[in-house]
């Protein structure tokens, strides 16, 4: 049975993550990294592709817990089951890693007596490989090729093998706790020291609360902002500071469709918006780590700049399909890797320049080599900004002169000028970059604006619209009160709107190389709220923002898209871009955002 995407909650240890359904089943878990093969892949297949469910004995497939919530300020999830014989709580989390990744699940009786059943089906290599399971000193160890996982309970409970799964059955009464720990390690290495699950719970709560406490945001949406910041932290690969776009691959943008992509990598365009939210809310260490990841990733020949990288900065992310998985809600194919890594997307040069300018303006100590890298990127962009590209949305159709790509080329030149004006001691040619900035500005205004309808278009010569043009006032290309900005906001809202939210573009009108449709894009809907605020429509901006808050699931998480008709979240989950949008719009409405909206 396919659970709605919004039925899942995230757990993680800052190196990888898993998804826990409201039915008590962990249906997605990649070990040991975000981009590793999943050992629970039921999310994209069925129960035979791996999962781990803990629920009251007799709970039907798909039966949900009564209620659940994260413990305040943490990524520790509590799920309550109220039954005819009593109430039980299951606490799920992944402690921050010492040596090996652990998944800890603690079952605690609240009242009465409840018999519980744990069903563990480990399937390595995205649900493809059934491991050999054996006993070892009362625990279970599962091994297949390079993967090994140990499973134990504390105190020990009755456990047996059945139907290629490991099952445990036990009663809990008020105050009794039974903990399970699943630990992965390379099969050629010795077993790690067992984790104390109860100590791990206390340390995890302490770690998360210590991290989230310094949040500077004190506005009316603090709970939503804090939850989004915790989610962004949870999507961060701690060893490098890279932030993955989402925890999953191949969750569809249309149920039953083929728009299914792997988002377990780091996109450069996320950098600017993420940096802004982290800097403004007081998380300087995370902002610094993200900037350092960015500088390492982009180092090299400017012509080789990629739109995305692996979590450690890897450049090769080959795309392939997994035919043994039927796909979420039969949305095939299931893909791993992402072929968009090879696309030309000129906007990323502007996003990198904007990110590093923002970091410098916020007072992060500048790296000596950072400016030299930026100058090299500008040299390349000066010769190439007028080329067609695949654009922000990674279309798999023909290259075009996308307006957003040109605007971000303007941003690159503009931030170079601003940096040199702020620090004349840096090497550079501000007049040269001013000339480039002016040339791009003239080009966009002449070729990317439709005077008949009073709106910027998706690409030169088209009549289609693009929600990315909502960013024009945000990045400072034109002032918010410019009639061309107001016309664009109104046109995007009218033509790309869907039940008050916004699509990226019209899939019917734009040849993006793919069949089918998609839902409203949540990040774009936050951009519309920002644009409404900037153009003086404060009440409408706040109403849209609160509408978007209502789209979050019961634990405050957002996917990439939303279908207002069915009320379903769509796309990979949870989505960093959506949560960055939430934080930045909350900051905008509170007057806290660190952005420039000065006209060029």
């Amino acid at each position: 049975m396919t659970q709605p995407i919004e039925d899942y909650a995230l757990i993680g240890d800052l190196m990888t993550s898993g998804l826990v359904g409201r039915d008590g089943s962990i249906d997605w878990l990649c070990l040991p990294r975000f981009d590793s093969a999943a050992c629970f892949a039921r999310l994209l297949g069925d129960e035979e592709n791996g999962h781990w469910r803990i629920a009251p004995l007799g709970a039907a497939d798909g039966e949900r817990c009564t209620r659940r919530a994260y413990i305040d300020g943490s990524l520790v999830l509590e799920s309550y089951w109220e039954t005819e014989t009593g109430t039980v709580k299951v606490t799920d989390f992944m402690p921050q890693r010492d040596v090996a990744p652990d998944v800890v699940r603690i079952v605690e009786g609240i009242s009465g007596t409840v018999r519980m059943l744990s069903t563990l089906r480990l399937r390595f290599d995205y649900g493809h490989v059934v491991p050999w399971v054996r006993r070892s000193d009362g625990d279970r160890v599962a091994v297949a090729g390079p993967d090994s996982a140990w499973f134990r309970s504390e105190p020990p409970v009755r456990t047996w093998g059945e139907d290629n799964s490991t099952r445990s059955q036990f009663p809990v009464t008020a105050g009794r706790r039974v903990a399970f720990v699943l630990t992965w390690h390379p099969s050629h290495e010795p077993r790690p020291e067992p984790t104390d699950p109860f100590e791990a719970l206390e340390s995890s709560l302490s770690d998360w609360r210590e991290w989230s406490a310094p949040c500077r945001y004190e506005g009316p949406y603090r709970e939503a902002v804090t939850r989004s910041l915790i989610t962004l932290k949870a999507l961060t690969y701690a060893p490098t500071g890279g932030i993955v776009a989402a925890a999953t691959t191949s969750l569809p943008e249309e149920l039953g469709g083929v728009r299914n992509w792997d988002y377990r990598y780091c996109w450069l365009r996320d950098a600017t918006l993420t940096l802004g939210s982290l800097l403004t809310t007081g998380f300087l260490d995370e902002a610094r780590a993200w900037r350092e990841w960015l500088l390492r990733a982009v180092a090299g020949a400017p012509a080789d700049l990629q739109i995305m990288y692996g979590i450690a900065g890897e450049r090769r992310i080959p795309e392939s399909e997994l035919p043994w998985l039927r796909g979420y809600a039969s949305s095939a194919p299931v893909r791993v890797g992402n072929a968009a890594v090879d696309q030309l997307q000129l906007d990323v040069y502007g996003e990198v320049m904007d990110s590093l300018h923002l970091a410098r303006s916020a007072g992060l100590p500048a790296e000596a080599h950072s400016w030299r890298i930026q100058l090299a990127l500008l040299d390349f962009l000066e010769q190439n900004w007028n080329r067609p590209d695949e654009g922000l949305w990674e279309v798999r159709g023909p290259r075009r002169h996308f307006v957003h790509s040109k605007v971000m080329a303007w941003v690159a030149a503009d931030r170079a000028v601003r940096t040199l004006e702020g620090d004349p001691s840096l090497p550079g040619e501000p007049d040269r970059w001013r000339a480039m900035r002016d040339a791009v500005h003239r080009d966009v205004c002449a070729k990317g604006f439709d005077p008949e309808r009073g709106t910027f278009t998706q690409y030169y010569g088209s009549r289609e619209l693009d929600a990315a043009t909502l960013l024009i006032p945000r990045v400072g290309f034109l002032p918010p009160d410019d009639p061309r900005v107001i016309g664009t906001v109104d046109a995007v809202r009218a033509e790309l709107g869907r039940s008050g939210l916004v699509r990226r573009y019209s899939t019917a009108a734009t040849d993006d190389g793919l069949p089918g449709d998609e839902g409203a894009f949540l990040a774009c809907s936050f951009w519309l709220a920002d644009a409404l605020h900037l153009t003086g429509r404060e009440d409408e901006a706040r109403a849209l923002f609160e509408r978007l808050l209502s789209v979050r699931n019961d634990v405050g998480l957002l996917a990439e898209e939303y279908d207002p008709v069915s009320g379903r979240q769509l796309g990979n989950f949870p989505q960093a871009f959506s949560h960055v949008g939430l934080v930045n719009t909350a900051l905008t409405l509170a007057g806290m955002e660190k952005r420039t909206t000065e006209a060029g």
Side-chain angles (χ1 to χ4, degrees), residues 105-138:
R105 313 193 74 181
I106 300 175
V107 184
E108 180 178 356
I110 304 300
S111 65
T113 300
V114 182
R115 295 198 65 82
M116 301 294 290
L117 176 66
S118 165
T119 302
L120 171 68
R121 281 190 175 89
L122 276 168
R123 299 290 187 269
F124 296 122
D125 191 23
Y126 296 104
H128 191 52
V129 176
V130 180
W132 181 265
V133 181
R134 59 181 173 83
R135 292 176 181 267
S136 177
D137 297 328

Side-chain angles (χ1 to χ4, degrees), residues 247-276:
T248 58
T249 178
S250 300
L251 289 181
E253 297 169 10
E254 179 185 36
L255 295 180
V258 301
R259 296 170 182 263
N260 317 317
W261 316 109
D262 193 347
Y263 277 14
R264 297 170 300 154
Y265 308 108
C266 305
W267 268 254
L268 295 189
R269 71 171 46 88
D270 294 4
T272 302
L273 298 173
T274 304
L275 265 176

Side-chain angles (χ1 to χ4, degrees), residues 10 154 216 338:
L10 180 74
E154 188 175 318
R216 291 179 187 165
N338 200 311

Side-chain angles (χ1 to χ4, degrees), residues 5 37 53-54 69 71 74 114 122 132 148 160 302 315 340 344 409 414 435 480 504 511 543 561 566 597:
I5 292 169
R53 188 184 189 200
I54 296 180
I71 298 176
S74 80
V114 182
L122 276 168
W132 181 265
S148 179
W160 71 98
R315 289 174 175 261
L344 175 67
D414 178 74
R504 295 185 292 180
D511 178 12
E561 299 182 5
S566 66
T597 55

Side-chain angles (χ1 to χ4, degrees), residues 523-541:
C524 295
S525 301
F526 285 113
W527 296 348
L528 175 59
D530 295 339
L532 290 170
H533 173 81
L534 289 171
T535 54
R537 290 172 273 189
E538 174 71 27
D539 291 343
E540 295 174 56

Side-chain angles (χ1 to χ4, degrees), residues 493 500-502 524-530 532 539-549:
R493 194 180 189 186
L501 305 181
V502 179
C524 295
S525 301
F526 285 113
W527 296 348
L528 175 59
D530 295 339
L532 290 170
D539 291 343
E540 295 174 56
R542 194 170 297 277
L544 175 54
F545 181 66
E546 292 178 356
R547 164 92 166 89
L548 285 160
L549 291 184

Side-chain angles (χ1 to χ4, degrees), residues 260-433:
N260 317 317
W261 316 109
D262 193 347
Y263 277 14
R264 297 170 300 154
Y265 308 108
C266 305
W267 268 254
L268 295 189
R269 71 171 46 88
D270 294 4
T272 302
L273 298 173
T274 304
L275 265 176
S277 63
L278 293 173
L279 289 168
T280 308
T281 52
F283 295 99
L284 299 185
D285 288 343
E286 284 69 26
R288 186 179 296 108
W290 184 216
R291 184 196 61 180
E292 298 314 310
W293 175 90
L294 178 66
L295 285 171
R296 291 193 301 271
V298 305
D304 296 333
L305 186 71
Q306 297 182 178
I307 65 167
M308 73 179 85
Y309 295 85
I311 54 180
E314 297 92 345
R315 289 174 175 261
R316 290 177 54 81
I317 311 176
E319 183 177 304
S320 59
E321 298 179 3
L322 307 182
W324 61 87
L325 292 174
R326 68 184 183 190
Y328 178 86
S330 299
S331 306
V334 170
R335 296 179 172 96
V336 295
N338 200 311
V341 70
D342 296 320
Q343 290 187 351
L344 175 67
Q345 296 180 24
L346 293 169
D347 63 293
V348 297
Y349 291 85
E351 280 131 10
V352 170
M353 291 294 295
D354 197 18
S355 297
L356 298 176
H357 173 74
L358 184 63
R360 183 185 294 270
S361 300
L364 289 185
E367 294 285 348
H369 64 285
S370 171
W371 182 242
R372 293 195 296 273
I373 291 175
Q374 292 176 77
L375 288 178
L377 295 176
L378 278 166
D379 286 340
F380 174 83
L381 189 60
E382 184 184 36
Q383 302 301 318
N384 290 275
W385 68 263
N386 55 0
R387 293 171 59 188
D389 69 347
E390 275 91 0
L392 166 72
W393 303 126
E394 299 169 8
V395 298
R396 301 202 175 192
R399 288 183 176 180
R400 296 186 172 98
H401 291 280
F402 286 99
V403 169
H404 176 263
S405 295
K406 310 301 185 190
V407 168
M408 293 310 296
W410 176 91
V411 167
D414 178 74
R415 301 317 188 247
V417 171
R418 290 172 183 266
T419 299
L420 290 168
E421 289 173 346
D423 186 355
S425 68
L426 291 172
E429 305 171 66
D431 289 341
R432 176 183 173 189
W433 308 129

